[in-house]
Amino acid sequence: MPSFYQPGDYQAITPEILLTLFGLAILALDFLLGRGEKWWNALTALLGLGFAAAKLIMFWREVAGQGASYEAFGGRVLLDTFGIYLNLIVVLATALVVLMSARYLEIEKAHHGEYYALLIFSAVGMMLLASGSDLIVLFTALELMALCEYVLTGFLRGSRRSNEAAVKFFLLGAFSSGLLLYGMSLLYGLSGSTRLGPIAEALSHRPANDPLSWMAMITLLAGLFFKIAAVPFHQWTPDAYEGAPTSITAFISVGPKVASFAILLRMLFSAIEPLAAEWKTLTIGVAVATMTLGNLAALTQTNIKRFFGYSTISHVGYLLLGVVAAADGERDGLTAVIIYLLVYAFMNLGAFAVVIMLRRKDLIGDDIDDLAGLMARAPGLAILMLVFLLSLAGIPPLAGFIGKYYIFLSLIETRHYLLAVLAVAYSVVALYYYFRLVVAMFMKPALTHDPLATSAGLRIALAITLAFTLVIGIYPQPFIGYAQEAIRPFFG
Amino acid sequence: MVPLAHVLTLSAALFVLGVAGFIIRRNVITIFMCIELMLNAVNLAFIGFARHLGSLDGQLFVFFVIVVAAAEAAVGLAIIIALFRNHESLTIDEIDSMKL
């Protein structure tokens, strides 16, 4: 290990450094702006995210195709296709949330610069989480991401629900970090290193059924399952989703999920890979429980944000099934997870963009009845929402179908027929509850004819999410190619 | 010199106390203190391992955990103060404006 870091090491984290500088710039800029000029903050945030995305695409061009990866800071931060791919999803999702936020924050009278700065700092945490390969880096990145989210969830200081959501999210999030940290301390004790590679090396030399390795695996996975909202660690999700400002609900339903899956996959397929047989059994149980609870609880919800909370939980169940298939050495399983994360980000953000428009001065707009008669009020929006909901339910030829199709395929290829049948059966249940929203939009009479709270940013966000939802569904080949490239660090 | 097993037993006991307190206690501040207890139990384990293995990484990790715990306390207490202003109660059972 070099005693001094190379200049190239800092180049490897340029996107993160750039974003941090832009976040700090927003904090300073905010003081200079009058009440009506806050959209400059959003513009600055978008500019920073644009630079970061451009740099990430340059990295991708250098790394992809050769299967090479650059180990920065003595192997503590990895610049590989997996990390770059997930970083790009995080940056895109954050940019879409910024686009969706400005108008909503004005209506909530909470349009402050800190909002955008916190979004960006949270994104920096997620990016380091996806490319970190050392327990210290991963833990610090995870907490950077989570602390910003707690504040953003409670951003509407005067609102009881926002407050309550922040407290629940904070307490359970901090608790899960404690569990995760305990697992990390055991991994360190077993291997004498904080880097993932040597940890895997040390674990493979442990005897079978070693209680210490088991303990490390279980506490580590319990902490990570909390972060991705898998059953039985999902309780915070519906409350945090319902109480948070809607734009933040959109953010925490996508960004942290992508980043937490990144650390989960890195842990499973590099650090605790020698325990694959054990964690596979555990993951099957959790995946089935997650799908069951997510799908069944979503049936009876009356609040849209809560509804999407449970819908997210069910999607996490499907993603975990892909992980199960990948544990059997089936590379399609991991490809499916990677595609699903991309697709899920766009269709979920699209649906939330429509929900955000329902908010008006005198109306919270998060009840399913608030969607009633959307077809009569704004036909274009109703049809967009229909596309996103069908995609979430997994109907061809939309993007959501590609994600589910690959998961089912990988399950069949690894002979998990029972799991495949269960997953298909729950897709039918999902179709039913997504159609409750469709029925409200198309069949019920409108309760009000006031115009929706649209803005240029929201329209751009809708156009981008719609474009990706359609293009990935109709012409998935290039995206499958990217995903196959992205999993090369794990499957050679 | 204290053997590693003693340090780890103490750390595990403190950690379990923290988890139990988190589940049983009903006051938000006490719950938060239990989480801090969990983090410090982990710190103890890290230091024990670091001394046993003769490697500095574990001690380094402890500094990061302390920094993160301080940031967490700042954010957490701010959220709890906002909660108290809105609800005028710190009992977790009374904070239930959203249905379960």
Side-chain angles (χ1 to χ4, degrees):
Chain A
M1 202 188 304
S3 51
F4 289 101
Y5 295 130
Q6 312 297 315
D9 291 350
Y10 292 97
Q11 251 187 42
I13 56 165
T14 338
E16 286 89 344
I17 295 176
L18 264 176
L19 271 183
T20 312
L21 290 177
F22 270 90
L24 293 172
I26 290 172
L27 284 179
L29 181 71
D30 189 45
F31 283 110
L32 308 174
L33 296 173
R35 189 167 293 166
E37 299 163 326
K38 296 292 187 191
W39 52 271
W40 278 101
N41 290 325
L43 214 60
T44 315
L46 284 177
L47 199 64
L49 290 162
F51 277 127
K55 191 73 196 168
L56 284 170
I57 290 170
M58 280 162 67
F59 283 155
W60 177 271
R61 291 227 174 114
E62 275 174 39
V63 177
Q66 324 160 16
S69 68
Y70 182 77
E71 294 187 357
F73 300 102
R76 289 184 167 78
V77 175
L78 285 181
L79 199 62
D80 56 8
T81 45
F82 177 77
I84 299 171
Y85 179 96
L86 291 170
N87 277 350
L88 270 172
I89 302 184
V90 166
V91 168
L92 257 172
T94 313
L96 287 171
V97 171
V98 170
L99 282 172
M100 288 164 17
S101 295
R103 179 70 201 261
Y104 178 80
L105 290 175
E106 267 164 25
I107 295 175
E108 292 282 4
K109 294 198 178 62
H111 206 180
H112 308 298
E114 298 88 21
Y115 176 91
Y116 299 104
L118 285 167
L119 267 183
I120 286 207
F121 292 145
S122 190
V124 171
M126 291 172 199
M127 291 165 73
L128 282 172
L129 203 51
S131 41
S133 177
D134 177 281
L135 295 183
I136 301 180
V137 175
L138 288 175
F139 174 70
T140 322
L142 186 78
E143 287 301 305
L144 176 58
M145 166 185 100
L147 286 176
C148 295
E149 280 159 15
Y150 305 147
V151 180
L152 285 170
T153 304
F155 203 72
L156 308 176
R157 271 179 309 180
S159 152
R160 284 172 71 100
R161 289 203 305 171
S162 176
N163 246 206
E164 195 180 315
V167 167
K168 286 178 178 167
F169 192 12
F170 166 71
L171 287 179
L172 287 166
F175 176 71
S176 70
S177 299
L179 286 179
L180 184 75
L181 204 53
Y182 194 73
M184 285 181 169
S185 79
L186 291 180
L187 285 182
Y188 167 69
L190 288 169
S191 64
S193 172
T194 54
R195 276 170 301 144
L196 301 191
I199 289 174
E201 174 73 21
L203 281 182
S204 63
H205 295 309
R206 301 290 297 182
N209 293 329
D210 174 39
L212 261 185
S213 327
W214 271 72
M215 191 65 188
M217 179 190 78
I218 287 173
T219 44
L220 190 79
L221 286 184
L224 289 176
F225 284 154
F226 249 113
K227 301 287 177 199
I228 61 167
V231 176
F233 306 112
H234 65 283
Q235 290 94 338
W236 59 271
T237 313
D239 282 336
Y241 276 40
E242 185 181 341
T246 313
S247 51
I248 291 307
T249 312
F251 185 61
I252 59 177
S253 74
V254 173
K257 290 288 168 302
V258 173
S260 305
F261 258 96
I263 174 179
L264 180 72
L265 294 176
R266 266 218 210 273
M267 283 290 178
L268 290 179
F269 291 98
S270 65
I272 58 172
E273 214 273 322
L275 298 167
E278 286 86 358
W279 61 249
K280 194 191 131 197
T281 324
L282 205 70
T283 312
I284 291 179
V286 170
V288 171
T290 308
M291 271 198 312
T292 310
L293 187 127
N295 281 309
L296 297 185
L299 287 173
T300 56
Q301 298 306 317
T302 54
N303 179 294
I304 303 179
K305 283 150 84 178
R306 237 183 147 73
F307 170 88
F308 275 112
Y310 285 109
S311 129
T312 300
I313 294 176
S314 71
H315 285 289
V316 166
Y318 291 119
L319 283 162
L320 284 177
L321 285 182
V323 174
V324 169
D328 284 346
E330 179 58 54
R331 55 188 307 157
D332 279 353
L334 212 53
T335 315
V337 173
I338 296 281
I339 294 180
Y340 206 118
L341 283 172
L342 176 76
V343 163
Y344 168 77
F346 289 117
M347 56 195 186
N348 217 41
L349 284 176
F352 267 109
V354 176
V355 177
I356 285 174
M357 290 190 192
L358 297 175
R359 175 78 169 103
R360 287 200 322 277
K361 262 197 194 82
D362 50 341
L363 183 80
I364 300 173
D366 60 1
D367 211 72
I368 288 185
D369 286 337
D370 290 329
L371 273 174
L374 192 66
M375 188 61 194
R377 287 168 72 193
L381 269 185
I383 287 168
L384 279 181
M385 187 68 169
L386 178 68
V387 170
F388 294 129
L389 290 175
L390 288 178
S391 179
L392 281 164
I395 302 287
L398 297 165
F401 170 72
I402 302 295
K404 283 211 170 108
Y405 170 75
Y406 268 87
I407 299 249
F408 297 157
L409 191 70
S410 62
L411 281 176
I412 291 167
E413 276 169 354
T414 49
R415 297 172 186 280
H416 288 108
Y417 300 119
L418 198 63
L419 286 180
V421 170
L422 203 64
V424 172
Y426 279 130
S427 301
V428 179
V429 179
L431 195 60
Y432 172 77
Y433 62 72
Y434 285 122
F435 258 83
R436 278 181 55 217
L437 300 195
V438 176
V439 167
M441 285 194 303
F442 287 86
M443 317 288 251
K444 289 189 183 158
L447 300 171
T448 160
H449 285 280
D450 295 343
L452 291 156
T454 56
S455 70
L458 270 166
R459 277 195 285 271
I460 296 171
L462 272 176
I464 295 173
T465 47
L466 178 74
F468 273 96
T469 309
L470 290 176
V471 169
I472 299 177
I474 294 164
Y475 184 56
Q477 280 81 359
F479 296 94
I480 293 168
Y482 298 145
Q484 278 166 345
E485 190 64 45
I487 61 161
R488 248 158 93 155
F490 300 117
F491 282 95
Chain B
M1 178 151 162
V2 186
L4 177 66
H6 291 196
V7 179
L8 290 187
T9 314
L10 177 64
S11 146
L14 284 176
F15 189 79
V16 171
L17 268 180
V19 173
F22 177 85
I23 295 166
I24 296 167
R25 291 298 182 146
R26 306 258 52 92
N27 182 293
V28 176
I29 303 260
T30 321
I31 293 174
F32 182 51
M33 282 160 66
C34 291
I35 293 171
E36 294 288 310
L37 186 62
M38 286 166 63
L39 293 184
N40 284 320
V42 173
N43 281 346
L44 204 57
F46 268 122
I47 291 174
F49 280 130
R51 201 176 64 161
H52 176 74
L53 298 162
S55 92
L56 269 180
D57 288 351
Q59 303 207 15
L60 204 67
F61 209 139
V62 171
F63 280 107
F64 280 89
V65 176
I66 291 174
V67 170
V68 165
E72 210 168 63
V75 167
L77 291 176
I79 292 175
I80 293 173
I81 288 173
L83 176 87
F84 187 72
R85 282 194 183 148
N86 283 327
H87 289 255
E88 301 203 333
S89 161
L90 285 177
T91 313
I92 204 85
D93 300 315
E94 287 169 23
I95 306 165
D96 55 357
S97 53
M98 290 179 285
K99 68 165 188 181
L100 276 174

